[in-house]
Amino acid sequence: MRYFQNKTKSSRSIAGLKAKKNGQSAELLLNITAQHYATSGKALIYKRYEPYKRVSTGKVFKAVYTGKAGADYSIFLPDGRAGMIEVKSRDSDRISINAVSEDQVQQLKKLKEFNQLAYILVRLKTRWFIVDFDQWLRHDRKSHTALQLAQIGKECKITHIINLLEHIN
């Protein structure tokens, strides 16, 4: 008879699992928000998935990433404006400016050059903030606290959705 020893998880892997669940819950709320805005005709917000290529056949799905991930969501407004939103979620009191990858920075910069919408939507613990990308990199610091995010962006009210459209101009 075979006996298998239970694998113990390292503190690093546990932290990674917590971060993954935190990000998934943030995306779930934004997906509910997107559905609400689409139903009411106020905006179309679409999740953008990371590029991958399937490398397996049969019943088991295996894939490899084929490129760098860009911003998480595309947004289209009835007045013709469009752009992208990068979502970051942290269960802490601050977020590193480097949380937005260099590829995402370049993508959002290009959108601003084309006069398109480019936003960072941040959740710190239970508070949500939307920051115009122009303001994200402008400061001589390594991270933003909730107070700083409220100064450079706007805090979003949460009802059954994230009320972010009232802050998009």
Side-chain angles (χ1 to χ4, degrees), residues 124-163:
L124 291 183
K125 294 188 177 180
T126 60
R127 297 173 67 187
W128 288 83
F129 302 90
I130 189 158
V131 180
D132 191 303
F133 179 71
D134 281 341
Q135 297 299 314
W136 185 257
L137 299 174
R138 279 205 178 166
H139 306 279
D140 257 358
R141 54 183 169 241
K142 294 181 180 178
S143 62
H144 297 300
T145 64
L147 177 64
Q148 293 164 337
L149 288 171
Q151 291 170 347
I152 64 172
K154 300 287 182 185
E155 187 165 1
C156 299
K157 295 176 189 167
I158 305 298
T159 55
H160 60 292
I161 62 167
I162 308 165
N163 292 301

Side-chain angles (χ1 to χ4, degrees), residues 29-155:
L29 186 53
L30 189 53
N31 289 338
I32 292 167
T33 300
Q35 188 175 23
H36 171 78
Y37 285 146
T39 303
S40 63
K42 293 181 180 178
L44 297 175
I45 301 174
Y46 296 113
K47 171 80 173 124
R48 298 180 69 248
Y49 293 95
E50 295 182 24
Y52 69 88
K53 177 182 177 184
R54 186 173 182 168
V55 293
S56 64
T57 58
K59 295 180 182 179
V60 176
F61 182 86
K62 291 183 182 178
V64 294
Y65 291 113
T66 59
K68 302 278 184 169
D72 293 323
Y73 289 84
S74 297
I75 182 169
F76 303 91
L77 301 177
D79 63 7
R81 293 181 295 153
M84 294 186 179
I85 301 172
E86 174 59 24
V87 180
K88 296 296 178 189
S89 179
R90 299 292 185 269
D91 193 23
S92 66
D93 296 321
R94 61 179 52 244
I95 184 165
S96 170
I97 291 173
N98 292 335
V100 179
S101 74
E102 186 56 36
D103 292 315
Q104 292 165 336
V105 165
Q106 293 307 316
Q107 184 181 45
L108 295 171
K109 270 186 186 177
K110 188 59 73 178
L111 285 169
K112 292 306 281 185
E113 287 173 16
F114 290 169
N115 293 319
Q116 299 297 309
L117 303 172
Y119 287 94
I120 313 290
L121 182 64
V122 179
R123 179 175 74 176
L124 291 183
K125 294 188 177 180
T126 60
R127 297 173 67 187
W128 288 83
F129 302 90
I130 189 158
V131 180
D132 191 303
F133 179 71
D134 281 341
Q135 297 299 314
W136 185 257
L137 299 174
R138 279 205 178 166
H139 306 279
D140 257 358
R141 54 183 169 241
K142 294 181 180 178
S143 62
H144 297 300
T145 64
L147 177 64
Q148 293 164 337
L149 288 171
Q151 291 170 347
I152 64 172
K154 300 287 182 185
E155 187 165 1

Side-chain angles (χ1 to χ4, degrees), residues 12-42:
R12 192 173 190 182
S13 70
I14 291 170
L17 287 172
K18 285 182 182 178
K20 182 178 178 181
K21 285 187 178 191
N22 187 28
Q24 288 173 337
S25 69
E27 284 192 359
L28 176 63
L29 186 53
L30 189 53
N31 289 338
I32 292 167
T33 300
Q35 188 175 23
H36 171 78
Y37 285 146
T39 303
S40 63
K42 293 181 180 178

